[in-house]
Amino acid sequence: MRNWRYIVYIVVISLAISFPFYAGVHPIHVATTILSLLALALSWDILLRGGQLSLGVSAFFGIGSYTTVLTHLNWEVSPLLSIVLGGLAAGVVALVIGLAVLRLRGLYFAIVTLALTFIFIVIVRNLTDLTGGAIGKLIPSVIFGGDPAMIYWLTLAIAVATIITSEIFQKTRIHFALTSIRNNEIAAKSSGIDIFKYLLFAFVVTAVIQGVVGGVHAQRFAFVSPEESFSLTFTILPLAMCLLGGSFSTLGSVIGAGGLGVLAEYLRLMMPRGHLAIYGLVMVMAILLMPKGIVGTIREQLVRRKTASS
Amino acid sequence: MLVVKGVDIYYGKLQVLWDLSLQVGKESVGLFGPNGAGKTTLVNAIVGLVKPANGEITFGGRSLLPLETHRIIREGVAVVPQERELFPFMSVLGNLKSGAAYIPGARDKIDERMRFIFDIFPVLKERLGQLAVTLSGGEQRMLAIARSLMAGPKLLILDEPSSGLQPSLVSDLFRRMREIREKEGVSILIAEQNVRQCLRAIDRGYVIENGRVVIEDSAEGLAHSDHVRRSYLGL
Amino acid sequence: MLAKLRQRDYQILIAFIIVAAILAFWRPHVLISGLQRGSLYVLIALPVGIIYGILGILNLAHGEFMMLGAFFAFSLVTLTGIDPLIAMLPAFPAMFVVGIVTYRLTIKHVVRAPLNQFLLTFGLAVMLTEMANLIWTTRPRIVWVPYAASSATIGPITFGTFEFVYVAAAAIVLVGMFLFLTRTRAGLAAMAVGQNPRGAKLVGIDVERTYMMIFSACLAVLGPIGALFLIRHAIFPGVGGPFSLRAVSIVAMAGFGNLPGILVWGIGLGLAEAFVRSFRGWGGWADIIFFGMIILVVFYRSYQRRVR
Amino acid sequence: MKKGILLIAVALLLASSLVAVGCPRPVLEEPPVEPIRLGAVNPLGDITGRQSAQGMKLAVAEINAAGGILGRPLELIVMDDEFSPAVGAAAIEKLATVHEVDIFIGGMASGVHLAQIPILAKHGRVTVWIGAASHLVEAAIAALPDHDWYFHLHPWDYQQVEGTVEGWAAIVEKFPQIRLDRMFVAYEEGAFGAAGFAISRALFADVTIEGESFTSAVFGGGDFRAVLRHAKEFNPDAFVWVGFDPDALGMMVQAKEIGFAPPVFLGTPPGWPVGFGEIPLSEAVWLYGMWSPELKGVSPEAAHFWWAFIEKFGEEPATYFAPLGYVNVKFVAAGIERAGTLERGPLIEALREVRFEDTAVGWPLTIAPSRLIRHQGFTRQMILQWQGGRQEVIWPFEVATAEPIFPFPRWEDR
Amino acid sequence: MSVLRIENLTRRFGGLVALSGVNLELRENEILGLIGPNGAGKTTLVNVISGIYLPNSGRIIFDGKDVTESPAHIRCRLGIGRTFQIIQPNQNLNVLENVMVGSLFGQGAGLKEARRKAQEICQFLGLSRIERDITRLTVLEIKKMEMAHALATQPKVLLLDEIMTGLNIDEAREVIELVRKIRDQGMTICVIEHMMRIIKELTDRVLVLDRGEVIAEGLYEEVSNDPRVISAYLGEEE
């Protein structure tokens, strides 16, 4: 029966990889966007598993975007390498500010990470010489010459890497550390868990993911600006996807991102004007009817059925 | 006064009370049993925090089952829960007032009730302006009892009043319960693990085990019951 | 805790008065516009603080509800031609009803479920904005009343006077809330519910109803606030979003549940912003002051907590 | 809980019916024969994008009513970009591959368009764009190996400023009492304002310019007192604010508060709040624009558009993107007519030759190279002034509808 | 031979002195009872020893090393294990996984090894149904799990904070037997209780705390007759 599972994995992965061969260009674009949001959602969830609710996804996304564009422009670093640098820069920034902000908990952590996003916006906007100020910067050419399939594969690779990271976080000792921290920090400490180390590690790893996604975004659309690169959309949309799909699991974010992404596309088609209102309504309804997210609710039903039969 | 009849309660699939019946008239009644026997569940069921699957709970002839908790309290049932459930950042005075303010009959008699309470718990008078959170464990327990008395209840239910109290305070507490019973004429139901101390305060008692009533007897009878001795007094 | 002045608050108050005195001589207009703007922040943040303190819900759609209140007042003004100040009166019950409906349909189900309320109130924000967009479009709407631009001159400085209404309104709302919470039975119930909902049930308080009333009352206040806002600002569907963010930030800064703190930090931020802006060419950095201060204060608080 | 779900369901119904009423029918007109497909991308949630799409619809309806072009009807497909680069880019891809449009039209925000350019370039189909004024966009297009297929009707940001430089020179010459030696520019701190200020500073060569940024009311700002105070201290001949529509009221009210009434008070938002002209503070405020409703008095085409639009949609055009959308389709139609084919080469050639003496925006339209790209349409914007609640055209003098009011009347006299 | 020595330990919370000048010595392989009325500072002492709070003054010497300033997780790894009075088991993990956390981080075991050790310990404590959901455990099982979790960190010293609370007499007996069994494995144990009966049965030596101070130390019989203890613990004679 175990093998059956792997067959599903293989089918899904090969379908995902071969997607550009049987899908039109528009679906590829949509899928690329969904995949990058998926990576953001999952990275957000990884930190949440340690009990830390970050509202600073946009900050690392933006840092990644800017680093990518600036290194690419100023030092003529190749696009792929510049994306890696974007991730590294986000990681380094996370390491530095993590030393301070990870001492905070709960809503205080959330508010400070959000405030940091705005501080980055102000800094980027005012350092006109380096960043191009409010107007932003332009790259003369898009990565891979704008080939949507190549960009899709790149994004897919990042999303898969994020999924693997997430699974590693779920299957190794890190999982035990993060859940214990989320459950009760004092008890976790007394079990020998170095809380700060694990949270910092998760914070940096997720920041790197967010930075890389930001870098790809910048390379894909070939420009950065404070409003676009630090847009709160990149915090809120992944958050919504993760919570709707179900937090604390890899599958939850995957389903949430896929579901909400496709839904958004469908709504846009159905009603060119006003689909965003429905989008909001769907979020509200989902929270009211499925407070644990899609995966959480299904899992709960399964458990209930199991206990009922036993 | 309070009649519990054939009550079954489940937590999910797990049944915790089995066909449980008891009565409290104008008297003090003890409800004994080891941890996990279902005492707290029964208390919660009476005040409407848990709804039974079967059975009936009436108070003064009126069914309590369809009522929400705050309605039951307004009917004249007061409860001192095990966790005390005070308002930590409110003063002692505020806590006391809150006990009477939402009970139709009691809200006009706050001063009168307050005098009565200072009579029984003089220490609270000294602490009137202090925040509840700054009181010691014993004082908080007194405040919780005093708050429920502010409502001028017909029935007072205490859940594990001795838990977390040092032994010297426990006997004092039960002495006061006796006093309240005599002065106020209020019916009292005490759910307790500590049988020996509690027997002084009650007229009659039930012993429950695994969600079923196993013994019902007078205080005198319970004190001499072998069964009770064996399982609870550790003798 | 809730609405209780402590010694430290007095110290902050004195520090405030000193800062104000210095500003009054050095840059008087900073004092005036900072106070006015800060009061607006306080006005919008206070209900957020109350809702958080009692229901445990951080309402991210707060600014959007203010937008709704402002549009209600606007519709009333344009349809009937009444003065916006008079439109404040019907705006109160109207928003109260909005509050009740919102509570019953949504908030009720997520009280004290921290993650979900985040998403729920955010979903509400999106919905309200987009519905307003469908009804009124994104074109900004304005009303004009001559007193909105009234001004006074004292010595060398000329300044706008209308926004002192914000200061007065903030004072009224704060004092009103304080009296309500400490002097009335319903207020006592609200405090009790906020501190211990289970305990509140056990003294006979209808917790559900208290939640609903407090939530609705806090939204109802947004009706008049929206009308006051309308007098000085153009309104459009997205007008509330930034204020949601600011209000939540101020509440976080004050320490969740600390109402006088909202007053202090709301006005403090107003003054700080006005101060930075008063230097020509540095206005672009004003936001960094706002968010930087939030970060510093939050860190200071957590540091304090750890030492204690 | 059951009851709750029921309530929610009712709310859902109400909300969706509201949405259904609020949103226009899908913008598809069923064609009898193979139509010519135009694909437009606009931010439909915003008034500019929505009315721009309406303007296009009006033009398509008129052309189809007259028998279409080359015997084929026009089909217009409008997609929303939600002001998001990712959505806007995907929309182009969809129009190209799913709807297989022949020509791309539309547009608004520069940020969105920057993301669309690579995809437009990949498909290389004829594109006639009426938005995206940023010089960054021009640079991005010029950097493409080939951009013959790209037509840009909206003036670039620097051209807009060049136009005002030219216009002001003409105004100062014609009305000697007006002076323009010292200018104070208050600009919103985002891309729109920052670019406006930078270009103004570069192009108004003979003018002493000071500037300061402010936070627009769109982003929760709206407190302009410090900026206005600094402007007052500077004592300029002209005060210019570069911001968005919601900033308009605050600017006027707060300037009046501190008694700041410079000889020229000028605002450059993309549109104005509803009823702005009716408030007394608006009198004699200058503005720049591509168009004015008052042009219907001097331009027959503008007048035709004005009344047709009102008749079709029951509302007045509120932004110049309404007539510009109309011109967009008219221009494309004229090109196709002239080329007699949809083939790329001849069509580009024909579009290059299209010449309108008069358009819905009141300007003549011809295609000429701009600083960096080959096919640029309009290159100037007008200088207007609010007079008696109307936006009167002051310059160019050929289409002027009124004489300027100068100097700015004192606040107390209103 | 002392495993843990505490010298002159003081801890204040704001104005409240929770512990003042506490001296304590844990001898190898003994069971020490730590008793005292409510608010005496028992749990605070445990928290200071395990590193949840740092002391204001004083020293903690463990196994010959000064650990006064060491963070909690380091002390756990050195060999100070503890249970909590209010147990908050990790709801997202099953029984075995909860126990595994101890060996994973307390002794740095790998996943496989941790699982094996956790199984061993559960078996040792008579904890069956280890794949079970936490929410369906009995009180006794939860207590056992808490002990198993602490044991899994392989401590030299085990601090049991009110592990008997909420158990009935039979269950308490079972736990007392288990504690003895654990001690026989060569561990040093400190039991915090306020039920005298259990202390009497279980411990070798007793230390009495009252208002943050050690007021008596010695064998149960000696201590229980100490008038200071009686008045502190049972209240002043009326």
Side-chain angles (χ1 to χ4, degrees):
Chain A
M1 260 344 252
R2 280 241 141 186
N3 294 340
W4 183 79
R5 208 176 201 192
Y6 289 106
I7 292 170
V8 172
Y9 286 156
I10 290 166
V11 169
V12 169
I13 288 173
S14 45
L15 275 179
I17 292 176
S18 57
F19 188 71
F21 296 120
Y22 58 82
V25 187
H26 174 68
I28 296 176
H29 256 274
V30 174
T32 309
T33 305
I34 291 176
L35 283 175
S36 48
L37 288 173
L38 161 68
L40 293 181
L42 208 45
S43 69
W44 181 79
D45 187 47
I46 288 174
L47 192 60
L48 188 71
R49 290 170 202 167
Q52 295 289 56
L53 190 153
S54 164
L55 294 180
V57 178
S58 309
F60 298 114
F61 184 93
I63 289 168
S65 294
Y66 264 91
T67 311
T68 299
V69 168
L70 293 181
T71 51
H72 180 66
L73 278 181
N74 296 342
W75 300 327
E76 290 167 10
V77 176
S78 79
L80 279 178
L81 184 61
S82 76
I83 290 171
V84 174
L85 289 177
L88 286 181
V92 169
V93 172
L95 186 69
V96 173
I97 61 177
L99 292 173
V101 296
L102 283 170
R103 314 245 173 229
L104 302 171
R105 290 295 174 266
L107 285 173
Y108 290 108
F109 179 80
I111 295 286
V112 165
T113 45
L114 182 66
L116 279 169
T117 314
F118 284 93
I119 286 190
F120 285 128
I121 294 179
V122 178
I123 291 175
V124 166
R125 197 185 267 155
N126 283 288
L127 294 181
T128 316
D129 294 338
L130 177 68
T131 61
I135 302 167
K137 285 254 179 188
L138 210 64
I139 320 181
S141 63
V142 184
I143 188 168
F144 303 132
D147 180 355
M150 290 297 286
I151 298 175
Y152 168 82
W153 281 318
L154 177 64
T155 315
L156 178 68
I158 292 165
V160 169
T162 311
I163 290 173
I164 291 171
T165 310
S166 163
E167 279 300 293
I168 290 173
F169 270 70
Q170 286 292 67
K171 293 279 153 62
T172 58
R173 54 198 294 118
I174 306 171
H175 169 63
F176 291 91
L178 289 181
T179 3
S180 299
I181 294 168
R182 179 169 97 235
N183 181 58
N184 183 336
E185 293 195 6
I186 289 178
K189 266 190 219 170
S190 299
S191 315
I193 298 172
D194 189 344
I195 293 183
F196 195 69
K197 186 183 92 181
Y198 278 101
L199 285 184
L200 191 62
F201 181 67
F203 193 55
V204 170
V205 168
T206 56
V208 169
I209 294 171
Q210 289 152 11
V212 168
V213 176
V216 174
H217 186 89
Q219 286 285 359
R220 179 178 167 205
F221 296 122
F223 78 101
V224 280
S225 74
E227 274 125 43
E228 169 60 20
S229 304
F230 288 95
S231 163
L232 282 189
T233 320
F234 301 118
T235 299
I236 287 158
L237 221 51
L239 188 151
M241 288 171 165
C242 171
L243 290 183
L244 284 185
S247 43
F248 311 136
S249 78
T250 308
L251 194 60
S253 292
V254 173
I255 288 179
L260 214 54
V262 172
L263 177 81
E265 201 50 37
Y266 176 75
L267 284 175
R268 197 172 294 136
L269 218 77
M270 293 305 293
M271 42 183 90
R273 193 170 154 249
H275 59 269
L276 286 173
I278 300 295
Y279 195 74
L281 189 69
V282 168
M283 278 168 69
V284 170
M285 298 278 295
I287 281 298
L288 293 178
L289 301 179
M290 296 186 299
K292 292 200 163 166
I294 297 167
V295 170
T297 307
I298 291 173
R299 209 168 268 170
E300 212 166 55
Q301 293 292 331
L302 286 181
V303 168
R304 199 171 293 165
R305 198 167 302 164
K306 219 202 271 171
T307 49
S309 63
S310 68
Chain B
M1 197 145 218
L2 175 77
V3 179
V4 177
K5 214 162 149 188
V7 163
D8 289 334
I9 291 180
Y10 295 82
Y11 287 140
K13 293 271 304 166
L14 191 71
Q15 185 162 7
V16 287
L17 292 190
W18 305 71
D19 190 24
L20 195 136
S21 302
L22 58 78
Q23 292 186 27
V24 182
K26 281 217 166 284
E27 58 186 338
S28 283
V29 172
L31 183 62
F32 304 113
N35 214 288
K39 301 187 300 288
T40 301
T41 304
L42 181 65
V43 172
N44 286 344
I46 295 170
V47 297
L49 291 170
V50 184
K51 293 290 173 193
N54 302 306
E56 181 58 81
I57 300 175
T58 59
F59 180 66
R62 185 175 175 192
S63 174
L64 295 182
L65 293 185
L67 300 182
E68 283 174 79
T69 301
H70 63 271
R71 292 262 165 232
I72 294 173
I73 303 295
R74 289 178 192 177
E75 286 289 306
V77 179
V79 64
V80 183
Q82 193 173 350
E83 300 81 13
R84 302 187 284 259
E85 308 285 6
L86 294 170
F87 307 120
F89 301 105
M90 220 184 259
S91 66
V92 169
L93 180 65
N95 269 286
L96 287 176
K97 274 190 176 166
S98 73
Y102 307 98
I103 312 297
R107 78 176 57 130
D108 313 321
K109 299 187 200 141
I110 289 185
D111 291 338
E112 186 189 316
R113 304 293 313 164
M114 211 91 98
R115 268 196 302 278
F116 167 71
I117 275 157
F118 294 149
D119 217 21
I120 300 175
F121 302 113
V123 65
L124 292 181
K125 197 170 183 176
E126 297 159 24
R127 302 266 191 265
L128 221 47
Q130 237 170 290
L131 294 188
V133 71
T134 63
L135 298 183
S136 73
E139 287 165 344
Q140 288 193 13
R141 177 73 61 191
M142 289 180 207
L143 178 56
I145 297 172
R147 187 182 70 179
S148 60
L149 285 172
M150 284 295 291
K154 298 184 201 117
L155 171 65
L156 177 63
I157 303 175
L158 297 119
D159 190 8
E160 302 270 357
S162 74
S163 89
L165 284 194
Q166 54 201 76
S168 57
L169 286 176
V170 173
S171 61
D172 185 51
L173 178 81
F174 286 121
R175 213 187 58 236
R176 284 173 212 264
M177 294 319 300
R178 188 92 236 172
E179 204 180 318
I180 291 166
R181 163 92 193 94
E182 278 150 18
K183 279 192 185 169
E184 272 285 85
V186 56
S187 302
I188 296 181
L189 175 65
I190 304 177
E192 195 36 274
Q193 269 199 85
N194 189 338
V195 181
R196 213 161 22 171
Q197 300 265 23
C198 187
L199 284 177
R200 287 190 217 152
I202 60 161
D203 304 318
R204 210 157 59 76
Y206 296 86
V207 176
I208 60 176
E209 231 171 81
N210 292 327
R212 296 176 179 86
V213 173
V214 292
I215 305 175
E216 181 195 343
D217 207 341
S218 66
E220 188 74 3
L222 286 174
H224 298 103
S225 155
D226 278 349
H227 190 106
V228 175
R229 257 169 214 256
R230 229 187 6 261
S231 53
Y232 309 111
L233 304 187
L235 295 173
Chain C
M1 179 111 121
L2 210 62
K4 192 156 176 80
L5 277 175
R6 279 161 301 183
Q7 198 192 350
R8 197 166 51 84
D9 293 322
Y10 282 116
Q11 289 167 0
I12 291 176
L13 202 70
I14 291 166
F16 234 80
I17 292 169
I18 293 170
V19 170
I22 294 171
L23 281 178
F25 286 101
W26 184 38
R27 282 174 184 245
H29 48 267
V30 169
L31 182 64
I32 293 165
S33 55
L35 192 66
Q36 294 174 337
R37 186 83 178 160
S39 297
L40 180 63
Y41 292 160
V42 172
L43 263 182
I44 298 174
L46 266 177
V48 178
I50 299 254
I51 292 178
Y52 185 80
I54 290 167
L55 280 81
I57 283 189
L58 206 51
N59 184 8
L60 296 184
H62 194 73
E64 280 74 8
F65 281 111
M66 183 195 74
M67 175 272 292
L68 212 60
F71 265 113
F72 178 82
F74 171 81
S75 308
L76 222 57
V77 169
T78 45
L79 288 177
T80 64
I82 57 170
D83 192 282
L85 286 178
I86 296 169
M88 286 169 70
L89 297 175
F92 188 88
M95 285 306 288
F96 194 85
V97 172
V98 170
I100 288 181
V101 172
T102 310
Y103 180 82
R104 289 226 140 151
L105 287 179
T106 61
I107 303 290
K108 189 179 170 182
H109 307 280
V110 294
V111 171
R112 300 195 185 275
L115 262 180
N116 285 346
Q117 24 163 294
F118 245 80
L119 192 54
L120 179 88
T121 54
F122 176 72
L124 281 178
V126 172
M127 231 170 90
L128 289 173
T129 309
E130 294 304 324
M131 289 212 183
N133 190 355
L134 287 177
I135 300 169
W136 290 288
T137 75
T138 54
R139 279 194 84 187
R141 314 276 160 156
I142 53 175
V143 301
W144 164 246
V145 282
Y147 54 74
S150 60
S151 63
T153 304
I154 297 177
I157 59 158
T158 302
F159 54 90
T161 49
F162 175 77
E163 286 201 6
F164 282 116
V165 170
Y166 294 159
V167 182
I172 290 169
V173 171
L174 191 74
V175 171
M177 280 177 173
F178 189 82
L179 289 179
F180 169 74
L181 287 175
T182 54
R183 297 287 150 80
T184 66
R185 240 157 40 85
L188 187 66
M191 296 254 279
V193 169
Q195 293 181 11
N196 184 348
R198 200 180 151 95
K201 266 188 202 169
L202 294 179
V203 295
I205 295 171
D206 189 340
V207 173
E208 267 294 305
R209 191 160 165 276
T210 306
Y211 279 155
M212 185 172 79
M213 295 313 273
I214 291 295
F215 184 81
S216 310
C218 285
L219 287 205
V221 176
L222 286 178
I225 294 174
L228 284 180
F229 185 83
L230 170 69
I231 294 173
R232 289 276 292 190
H233 300 82
I235 57 167
F236 50 98
V239 75
F243 285 97
S244 293
L245 189 69
R246 300 222 144 178
V248 168
S249 303
I250 289 172
V251 170
M253 205 167 168
F256 294 107
N258 177 1
L259 294 189
I262 293 175
L263 176 73
V264 168
W265 288 115
I267 292 182
L269 285 173
L271 285 174
E273 275 185 337
F275 184 70
V276 176
R277 290 222 173 91
S278 76
F279 294 92
R280 187 146 120 203
W282 287 89
W285 294 93
D287 274 351
I288 230 175
I289 295 295
F290 189 93
F291 292 105
M293 261 172 86
I294 284 166
I295 291 176
L296 286 181
V297 170
V298 168
F299 268 109
Y300 175 69
R301 272 180 193 291
S302 83
Y303 167 77
Q304 253 191 339
R305 218 168 3 143
R306 212 161 338 127
V307 168
R308 246 191 273 139
Chain D
M1 192 60 203
K2 275 236 173 89
K3 201 166 137 205
I5 295 172
L6 193 75
L7 280 172
I8 292 162
V10 171
L12 177 71
L13 265 175
L14 278 176
S16 50
S17 57
L18 195 79
V19 170
V21 170
C23 82
R25 302 287 114 228
V27 210
L28 286 169
E29 263 129 51
E30 270 314 313
V33 285
E34 183 66 5
I36 297 172
R37 292 195 182 85
L38 306 181
V41 184
N42 276 329
L44 296 178
D46 194 70
I47 184 85
T48 50
R50 185 167 65 90
Q51 289 209 338
S52 171
Q54 285 175 331
M56 293 172 187
K57 258 176 90 173
L58 176 63
V60 167
E62 284 178 2
I63 290 165
N64 285 346
I69 299 167
L70 312 178
R72 293 164 67 183
L74 288 181
E75 183 187 334
L76 177 68
I77 301 132
V78 185
M79 293 195 65
D80 191 3
D81 64 24
E82 295 170 24
F83 277 124
S84 149
V87 175
I92 293 287
E93 200 72 83
K94 176 154 202 190
L95 288 173
T97 55
V98 178
H99 298 285
E100 297 182 327
V101 299
D102 300 295
I103 292 170
F104 290 108
I105 60 175
M108 191 69 48
S110 298
V112 176
H113 197 42
L114 281 171
Q116 292 168 327
I117 288 169
I119 295 160
L120 288 168
K122 188 183 69 190
H123 293 290
R125 289 179 210 174
V126 172
T127 303
V128 181
W129 218 245
I130 54 166
S134 169
H135 57 283
L136 286 184
V137 172
E138 189 189 23
I141 290 163
L144 297 170
D146 157 51
H147 65 263
D148 265 3
W149 47 273
Y150 189 87
F151 291 76
H152 191 255
L153 296 190
H154 195 290
W156 298 112
D157 47 12
Y158 65 88
Q159 289 180 322
Q160 290 178 288
V161 178
E162 272 170 8
T164 61
V165 172
E166 190 185 316
W168 279 112
I171 290 172
V172 168
E173 197 182 4
K174 183 164 175 189
F175 306 100
Q177 71 272 32
I178 301 178
R179 296 168 51 82
L180 196 67
D181 296 332
R182 291 162 65 76
M183 193 194 282
F184 191 98
V185 180
Y187 58 97
E188 69 89 24
E189 60 198 8
F192 177 68
F197 175 59
I199 296 164
S200 301
R201 191 170 217 172
L203 293 182
F204 276 95
D206 305 332
V207 180
T208 312
I209 295 189
E210 276 284 327
E212 187 173 353
S213 71
F214 61 84
T215 309
S216 166
V218 172
F219 305 112
D223 184 353
F224 315 125
R225 287 173 284 198
V227 171
L228 287 165
R229 214 172 277 279
H230 295 151
K232 191 182 178 189
E233 281 162 15
F234 181 69
N235 192 23
D237 298 322
F239 171 76
V240 179
W241 62 270
V242 186
F244 298 109
D245 322 9
D247 300 328
L249 179 71
M251 278 293 172
M252 309 313 300
V253 165
Q254 292 170 28
K256 174 177 185 281
E257 254 173 23
I258 60 164
F260 175 48
V264 170
F265 198 115
L266 196 152
T268 70
W272 293 82
V274 181
F276 181 76
E278 284 143 36
I279 72 172
L281 301 188
S282 71
E283 185 66 10
V285 169
W286 296 76
L287 64 148
Y288 297 144
M290 285 290 297
W291 169 79
S292 156
E294 304 319 315
L295 282 166
K296 60 182 181 281
V298 286
S299 149
E301 185 67 10
H304 163 76
F305 166 76
W306 178 267
W307 299 116
F309 190 93
I310 292 175
E311 192 186 341
K312 188 165 171 70
F313 302 108
E315 60 176 323
E316 289 187 358
T319 148
Y320 71 88
F321 277 100
L324 208 52
Y326 182 82
V327 173
N328 198 351
V329 172
K330 283 278 169 128
F331 173 77
V332 170
I336 299 170
E337 193 102 68
R338 193 182 175 94
T341 168
L342 280 171
E343 264 175 64
R344 199 181 119 133
L347 180 57
I348 290 173
E349 205 55 46
L351 280 170
R352 202 179 281 159
E353 299 300 322
V354 169
R355 219 163 287 275
F356 286 128
E357 291 309 320
D358 185 18
T359 60
V361 287
W363 293 89
L365 173 62
T366 50
I367 297 299
S370 72
R371 191 170 60 179
L372 297 176
I373 69 163
R374 295 187 57 188
H375 302 140
Q376 175 64 35
F378 299 111
T379 54
R380 288 292 178 261
Q381 64 182 349
M382 300 168 185
I383 299 178
L384 315 152
Q385 193 177 36
W386 283 99
Q387 293 181 5
R390 289 185 305 277
Q391 301 176 15
E392 301 288 2
V393 181
I394 305 297
W395 180 87
F397 300 130
E398 306 87 70
V399 288
T401 56
E403 296 269 296
I405 298 176
F406 187 86
F408 197 56
R410 298 186 331 146
W411 297 111
E412 302 81 55
D413 301 341
R414 291 158 187 263
Chain E
M1 176 65 203
S2 77
V3 192
L4 179 78
R5 206 167 71 242
I6 285 167
E7 293 171 2
N8 213 8
L9 201 68
T10 299
R11 169 71 210 199
R12 285 183 292 270
F13 293 103
L16 181 83
V17 183
L19 294 174
S20 85
V22 171
N23 287 297
L24 180 156
E25 201 176 355
L26 261 180
R27 295 173 200 146
E28 202 159 311
N29 213 11
E30 75 168 340
I31 300 182
L32 176 77
L34 186 60
I35 62 173
N38 249 1
K42 299 182 300 273
T43 297
T44 307
L45 183 58
V46 173
N47 280 337
V48 173
I49 295 174
S50 60
I52 304 299
Y53 302 138
L54 293 182
N56 294 91
S57 66
R59 291 208 308 160
I60 304 169
I61 316 275
F62 175 70
D63 222 9
K65 273 192 287 279
D66 187 335
V67 295
T68 316
E69 298 288 323
S70 311
H73 63 272
I74 297 291
R75 291 192 209 191
C76 168
R77 289 178 199 170
L78 285 174
I80 303 179
R82 67 166 292 187
T83 65
F84 283 88
Q85 189 179 352
I86 299 155
I87 304 170
Q88 285 165 333
N90 197 334
Q91 306 277 352
N92 308 289
L93 303 177
N94 66 25
V95 177
L96 184 67
E97 288 171 331
N98 261 291
V99 176
M100 274 171 70
V101 170
S103 43
L104 275 173
F105 300 100
Q107 14 169 313
L111 274 177
K112 260 190 197 149
E113 197 190 343
R115 181 172 293 271
R116 192 178 51 74
K117 282 208 171 128
Q119 277 164 342
E120 266 174 36
I121 291 168
C122 288
Q123 204 175 10
F124 175 74
L125 292 179
L127 200 53
S128 52
R129 297 188 291 186
I130 48 178
E131 303 283 348
R132 235 186 168 193
D133 202 43
I134 292 293
T135 48
R136 303 171 64 209
L137 292 184
T138 65
V139 179
L140 180 64
E141 281 173 317
I142 288 185
K143 299 276 178 183
K144 280 186 180 174
M145 189 185 80
E146 178 74 359
M147 278 165 68
H149 173 266
L151 279 180
T153 66
Q154 233 178 34
K156 294 193 184 75
V157 168
L158 184 59
L159 310 167
L160 299 174
D161 193 358
E162 308 226 348
I163 195 88
M164 313 289 178
T165 310
L167 297 180
N168 66 31
I169 291 295
D170 299 331
E171 291 169 338
R173 286 253 161 72
E174 195 185 333
V175 173
I176 286 172
E177 282 313 309
L178 279 178
V179 174
R180 291 220 178 94
K181 229 167 111 187
I182 294 168
R183 190 258 297 270
D184 294 343
Q185 303 265 308
M187 224 164 284
T188 309
I189 295 171
C190 175
V191 184
I192 291 90
E193 267 310 326
H194 66 230
M195 289 162 82
M196 286 293 234
R197 199 171 49 218
I198 289 163
I199 294 292
K200 182 182 169 188
E201 262 184 69
L202 183 61
T203 58
D204 305 324
R205 205 158 60 88
V206 180
L207 191 103
V208 189
L209 269 184
D210 185 33
R211 287 177 206 152
E213 287 179 54
V214 178
I215 57 167
E217 194 179 348
L219 298 174
Y220 177 79
E221 284 72 24
E222 297 164 23
V223 167
S224 59
N225 289 322
D226 188 323
R228 280 183 74 192
V229 175
I230 294 173
S231 66
Y233 206 74
L234 301 174
E236 300 288 342
E237 289 295 333
E238 283 170 49

